[in-house]
């Protein structure tokens, strides 16, 4: 699975959009981009995933560049409860194992 | 519906003791994963089950670590002769069959080895 690079930390004002970047320059054509987050003392929580088209759900939007070498997770109106570590993971969509390879993630601090 | 549950939530063991950590996956989920998360780090894969079959145990750090899922539902991660470096949060995740790759995680068991 391709390696990802994320900034170690970011701040965001409550109510503003949080834009979390991820670089995955070695991504292969059949690899998906997944985002999970981990709130303190909880297990990771799935947010969203995509292959090449932009995706949106009730939690967030995922913007993938045309060359697929990077992506951005957007939380449109961040709240204090969005403070968490956000992990960008790239993996084959239907690999036999399905294991997730987590990096260090980005610690997002939403401030009032 | 109920999510993934793990027990105990906290476990303190003396070095050399054996421990057993339990995971109850979401009902009907075929796949089950164990991860280890050291303080300040991202989770690291330990092992994977599809039903009762352990298909990947490449992440188990030593032969002191053993996992089982005898009936394809509940799973137990056992650590024998615990060492201080085993101190971590142990996370369990389950996944439904089919095309989805979404894993649902439990709250984890925090193991502290003194």
């Amino acid at each position: 699975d391709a390696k990802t690079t994320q900034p170690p930390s970011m701040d965001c004002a409550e109510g503003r959009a949080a834009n979390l970047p991820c670089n995955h320059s070695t991504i292969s054509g059949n690899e998906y981009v997944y985002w999970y987050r981990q709130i303190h003392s909880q297990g990771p929580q799935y947010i969203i995933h995509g292959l090449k088209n932009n995706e949106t759900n009730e939690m967030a939007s995922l913007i993938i560049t045309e060359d697929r070498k990077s992506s951005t997770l957007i939380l449109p109106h961040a709240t204090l409860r969005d403070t968490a570590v956000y992990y960008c993971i790239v993996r084959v969509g239907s690999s036999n194992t399905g294991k997730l390879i987590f990096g260090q993630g980005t610690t997002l601090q939403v401030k009032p | 519906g109920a999510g993934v549950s793990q027990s105990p939530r906290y476990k303190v063991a003396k070095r050399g003791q054996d421990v057993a950590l339990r995971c109850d996956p979401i009902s009907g989920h075929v796949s089950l994963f164990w991860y280890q998360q050291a303080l300040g780090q991202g989770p690291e894969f330990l092992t994977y089950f599809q039903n009762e079959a352990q298909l990947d145990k490449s992440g188990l750090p030593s032969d002191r670590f053993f996992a089982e899922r005898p009936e394809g539902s509940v799973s137990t991660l056992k650590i024998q002769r615990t060492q201080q470096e085993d101190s971590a949060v142990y996370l369990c995740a389950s996944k439904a069959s089919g095309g989805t790759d979404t894993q649902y995680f439990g709250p984890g068991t925090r193991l502290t080895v003194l």
Side-chain angles (χ1 to χ4, degrees), chain B:
Chain B
V4 178
S5 61
Q6 294 186 244
S7 60
R9 289 294 314 277
Y10 303 91
K11 177 68 178 178
V12 178
K14 292 182 179 179
R15 190 173 56 183
Q17 283 185 330
D18 298 347
V19 298
L21 313 179
R22 177 188 170 104
C23 172
D24 285 82
I26 293 173
S27 178
H29 276 195
V30 169
S31 300
L32 185 145
F33 303 82
W34 284 97
Y35 294 84
Q36 179 190 57
Q37 187 171 23
L39 188 64
Q41 304 295 315
E44 292 191 359
F45 170 80
L46 292 177
T47 188
Y48 159 67
F49 289 86
Q50 185 170 309
N51 296 306
E52 69 279 3
Q54 189 175 17
L55 299 185
D56 186 346
K57 52 183 180 179
S58 61
L60 296 176
S62 77
D63 58 7
R64 296 185 296 104
F65 286 71
F66 172 76
E68 60 183 5
R69 194 186 185 198
E71 297 179 359
S73 178
V74 171
S75 178
T76 304
L77 176 67
K78 298 179 179 178
I79 308 174
Q80 297 176 324
R81 305 180 303 281
T82 53
Q83 304 294 316
Q84 285 188 322
E85 61 263 29
D86 300 335
S87 295
V89 174
Y90 290 86
L91 294 160
C92 175
S94 70
K95 181 169 77 76
S97 61
T100 178
D101 268 332
T102 301
Q103 294 186 23
Y104 297 88
F105 283 80
T109 294
R110 180 176 296 278
L111 172 65
T112 303
V113 182
L114 302 177

Side-chain angles (χ1 to χ4, degrees), chain A residues 1-102:
Chain A
D1 292 339
K3 183 177 178 180
T4 62
T5 304
Q6 299 177 252
S9 63
M10 292 182 64
D11 289 343
C12 177
E14 187 178 19
R16 304 297 294 268
N19 297 282
L20 293 94
C22 179
N23 287 324
H24 32 78
S25 58
T26 60
I27 191 170
S28 300
N30 61 346
E31 290 183 312
Y32 287 71
V33 180
Y34 281 78
W35 284 84
Y36 280 75
R37 73 179 182 183
Q38 188 171 24
I39 296 170
H40 184 61
S41 296
Q42 297 183 20
Q45 175 191 25
Y46 167 81
I47 302 174
I48 198 168
H49 75 282
L51 183 62
K52 52 185 177 181
N53 296 323
N54 297 337
E55 302 288 342
T56 296
N57 63 20
E58 65 278 6
M59 290 183 67
S61 294
L62 174 61
I63 308 298
I64 303 174
T65 58
E66 192 170 343
D67 63 7
R68 303 209 324 121
K69 293 181 184 297
S70 65
S71 60
T72 301
L73 179 74
I74 300 172
L75 307 178
H77 306 287
T79 71
L80 298 178
R81 288 174 293 182
D82 292 322
T83 292
V85 179
Y86 287 77
Y87 295 100
C88 171
I89 300 165
V90 173
R91 59 178 300 275
V92 175
S94 58
S95 66
N96 290 336
T97 297
K99 64 185 178 185
L100 298 174
I101 300 175
F102 293 82

